[in-house]
Amino acid sequence: KGFTLVELLAVIVILAVVMLIAVTAVGPLMTKSRKGALGSEGLGAVDAAKLAFQAEQMGANSSKIKATSNVCFDLTWLCKNNYFEKGCGSDGYEGSVLVTYNAGGSYTYTFWITNGTYSFGPVVSTSYNYDAAVEGKTNSSTTCGSATNVVKCTGTGACS
């Protein structure tokens, strides 16, 4: 009329084994998802930098930013000027986007981004791959690298 103690223990053991297998399979999926989300934020920062590059040519920084300029936008500057929603300080995001003018009139967009857990950079937006993320925050994850002759839009100040 009921289950014996042995039958109940057998069911509990089977459930424990199934849960163990499920938990170990979910870990790598979570990591992949987190890296992909950070990469998507990096691509969003590139879109924000494209908008900022065009708007600042016509606005407050028109004397510094020309169509042929190379410009480094950091996330703090993009956030404080309402181009991007991450990077204002309290969310843990840091990084930058380098807009590079190429001969022939095209542009290359390279981003560096970190959320403290994972980091990307440098990543050219056209060759983005979520697997390029590394564990932790790297020193190069918050700068525009070693680019020279660059207009820098950083912090809360004007571009210089």
Side-chain angles (χ1 to χ4, degrees):
K1 293 193 175 190
F3 297 106
T4 66
L5 183 59
V6 173
E7 291 172 329
L8 287 175
L9 287 174
V11 169
I12 290 173
V13 168
I14 291 170
L15 287 176
V17 168
V18 169
M19 286 182 58
L20 181 65
I21 292 169
V23 167
T24 57
V26 168
L29 292 175
M30 297 281 289
T31 299
K32 181 178 176 181
S33 176
R34 288 181 179 133
K35 287 180 178 180
L38 181 62
S40 293
E41 293 292 350
L43 294 175
V46 167
D47 290 339
K50 288 177 183 180
L51 178 62
F53 185 77
Q54 294 171 350
E56 295 300 317
Q57 283 181 49
M58 298 181 286
N61 291 300
S62 61
S63 63
K64 293 183 179 73
I65 299 177
K66 307 291 183 200
T68 57
S69 298
N70 296 328
V71 183
C72 176
F73 296 102
D74 80 353
L75 293 189
T76 303
W77 190 91
L78 289 170
C79 185
K80 297 291 184 185
N81 289 283
N82 298 317
Y83 291 110
F84 192 61
E85 59 189 39
K86 302 284 185 182
C88 283
S90 61
D91 57 13
Y93 282 83
E94 296 177 12
S96 58
V97 178
L98 177 64
V99 180
T100 307
Y101 176 77
N102 303 315
S106 65
Y107 296 93
T108 302
Y109 303 94
T110 307
F111 69 88
W112 293 257
I113 192 167
T114 183
N115 60 6
T117 304
Y118 300 107
S119 298
F120 277 97
V123 177
V124 176
S125 63
T126 55
S127 61
Y128 161 72
N129 179 357
Y130 78 89
D131 283 332
V134 296
E135 295 270 338
K137 179 179 172 182
T138 62
N139 291 336
S140 64
S141 63
T142 60
T143 66
C144 281
S146 60
T148 57
N149 299 323
V150 173
V151 176
K152 294 191 177 192
C153 299
T154 60
T156 58
C159 298
S160 58

